[in-house]
Amino acid sequence: MYRIILAGLLFCVLAVQAQAQDRFWVQVEASPTLSEATERARVYARRFDDVQGYYLGRGFYGIVLGPYSESLAREELSRLLRTGQIPSDSYLQNGRRFEQQFWPIGGGGAMPRDTLVPEQDTPPALSALPQAPLAIPDETVREARASEAALSRTAREELQKALRWAGFYDAAIDGAFGRGTRSAMEAWQVAYAQDPTGVLTSRQRAQLLAQYNAVLSDVAMQPVRDDVAGIEMQIPTAVVAFTEYAPPFAKFAGQSTLPTAQVLLISQPGDAGRLAGLFEVLQVLDLMPPDGPRELRGDSFFMEGVDDDRHAFATASVEGGAIKGFVLVWPAGDNPRRDRILDVMQSSFTRLDGTLDPNLVPPGEDQAVDMVAGLSVRQPQLSRSGFYVSDDGIVVTTSEAIANCSRITLDRDTNAEVVAINADLGVAILRPLTPLAPVDVVTFQSDTPRLKDAVAVAGYPYDGVLHAPTLTFGTLEDIRDLQGDERRKRLLLAAQASNAGGPVLDASGAALGMLLPRASGAAQTLPSDVQFSLDAALIADVLTAQGVVPAQTGSTPALSPVALSRKAANFTVLVSCW
């Protein structure tokens, strides 16, 4: 009977994991204890009818809404963030990290909307139980209780960790063998055809721990003491090796057996403010995928990032004016081994005296603006310019800027969504997902401009390398394009590709239109200083159709180049496609 019940439970868990590839959730919170997570799930369930909770590994329990199809999940995330119904750091979750379900109580997750119910595969058999040393005798239940009573708290916690890692336990690691631990022991015994007593014998404990540690056999977890960084901890020495110091990091790169693995020791002087700065920097590094839970708690932080290739984890804290921690980057999909490695690294982490000197390594020729301590900063696949047209942050840009994007940002910091696209005109309207109040908005010029008047394009000509927008000056050559189309004006100015989407301004700072991207693959190549802009009146019509009333003006006095630059900087925005 026990085997039948366990087989059913395993079937449900594996079925959830198999279906996760086609499901998406909105993750709203993660809690470090099951009791806290259950209470928070109960609170959310009063407002939403699709609340679920899953153990995420590493001692965290996630609260999610869903499941949905991918398109619906993105729409729901945008809607809930826009209406303030969920925390601003909520994000999409694809279910790869989901393990045991704890909410609703009793399980029973729904199928994703807009998808068919996938067929459930037969769960694979459990791995063979390791042989225990012959020197460990069999025990009666009374003898097992007696030997168990002699265990230290650390040893008891280790057994709970092993049961959790094996998928039988989902409560607190506290060394107290209560009802939850006994049930987990009994389930483990049933799974391996042992008498279901709920008390592990010495031999069974040895077998469970052998299972728990087997995944570490080929990574050679060994203590490494770095007196320069002031850190001692165990790391997987068979797959990573020290390469260099690049303050605030001591780098251990992956070897030929596992080249994607990395370990970074974090060591630098600083306080809580500098810790917060490090928290922000780590999130933009290429080694930390953007999707995953992260939290800054004042004097410490943790973050995780998961994509198709990597699963990264970082943690650091400040004590006595020293910031110390570590980063582990591991191949995605190898969770049992990664979790064990991370357990050992966290439990063995020891602070020593000293921190990495920021001047330890002199500057070299390999410095770059898109690198931090020799690590690549994550870059968007495309950057273009745009401009604010309303006090709540509505942005106009070129439709080229948002093609094939999984994420759109404004000035690299604020996520945005597409409100409307007019492919014929080549214009897109964006809205920030979190409240945003621009310093100024564009005013459209309603009067017809004069040929040969001076114009300027405001934008980011070098893909956002410069921290502020710049003006590129030129002249208005014609109020039509070369085919006589009055929707587009012809300009003479030397713009860059990432200027596209920026406002074309007259001498007073009013917008005559939006700079269009240069046509690619055309049979005829025009001179590089021949550009075209979309007429302001057409942009205003698109905005009006979306309920946005654009500001308009007639002719006004010209501004000096300095004043024009300052004015344009207040409403021009970098639009990035990730």
Side-chain angles (χ1 to χ4, degrees), residues 311-330:
H311 192 158
F313 175 87
T315 184
S317 62
V318 56
E319 292 181 16
I323 297 171
K324 294 188 179 182
F326 69 90
V327 179
L328 172 66
V329 181
W330 201 256

Side-chain angles (χ1 to χ4, degrees), residues 242-313:
F242 177 77
T243 53
E244 63 176 333
Y245 291 113
F249 306 118
K251 297 182 180 179
F252 294 76
Q255 302 304 291
S256 58
T257 55
L258 208 61
T260 55
Q262 290 185 68
V263 171
L264 305 177
L265 305 185
I266 301 171
S267 175
Q268 68 177 47
D271 55 13
R274 196 163 186 183
L275 181 78
L278 176 65
F279 178 74
E280 297 299 329
V281 167
L282 281 173
Q283 295 188 72
V284 301
L285 293 182
D286 187 55
L287 61 78
M288 181 63 64
D291 293 332
R294 47 207 66 190
E295 181 179 355
L296 176 64
R297 304 188 184 105
D299 61 353
S300 66
F301 69 73
F302 86 92
M303 67 178 69
E304 284 196 65
V306 186
D307 61 19
D308 292 337
D309 301 317
R310 293 163 299 178
H311 192 158
F313 175 87

Side-chain angles (χ1 to χ4, degrees), residues 35 92 136 180 182 360 445:
S35 58
L92 289 189
I136 301 178
R182 293 299 177 197
L360 177 65
Q445 177 59 262

Side-chain angles (χ1 to χ4, degrees), residues 35-113:
S35 58
E36 179 182 336
T38 302
E39 181 57 34
R40 294 298 298 157
R42 186 174 288 112
V43 171
Y44 278 102
R46 297 184 189 128
R47 292 188 287 144
F48 303 102
D49 60 3
D50 55 359
V51 177
Q52 295 186 30
Y54 293 90
Y55 178 61
L56 304 177
R58 304 299 318 124
F60 280 90
Y61 301 83
I63 302 166
V64 298
L65 307 180
Y68 313 102
S69 64
E70 182 175 6
S71 59
L72 264 180
R74 295 189 183 280
E75 292 175 9
E76 191 71 354
L77 175 64
S78 297
R79 183 184 69 82
L80 294 174
L81 286 171
R82 188 170 63 250
T83 56
Q85 298 185 61
I86 58 177
S88 60
D89 58 352
S90 300
Y91 62 96
L92 289 189
Q93 172 70 273
N94 59 19
R96 290 193 194 95
R97 300 177 62 242
F98 290 175
E99 297 183 20
Q100 293 89 353
Q101 184 174 6
F102 67 87
W103 186 273
I105 296 174
M111 290 308 302
R113 304 176 193 176

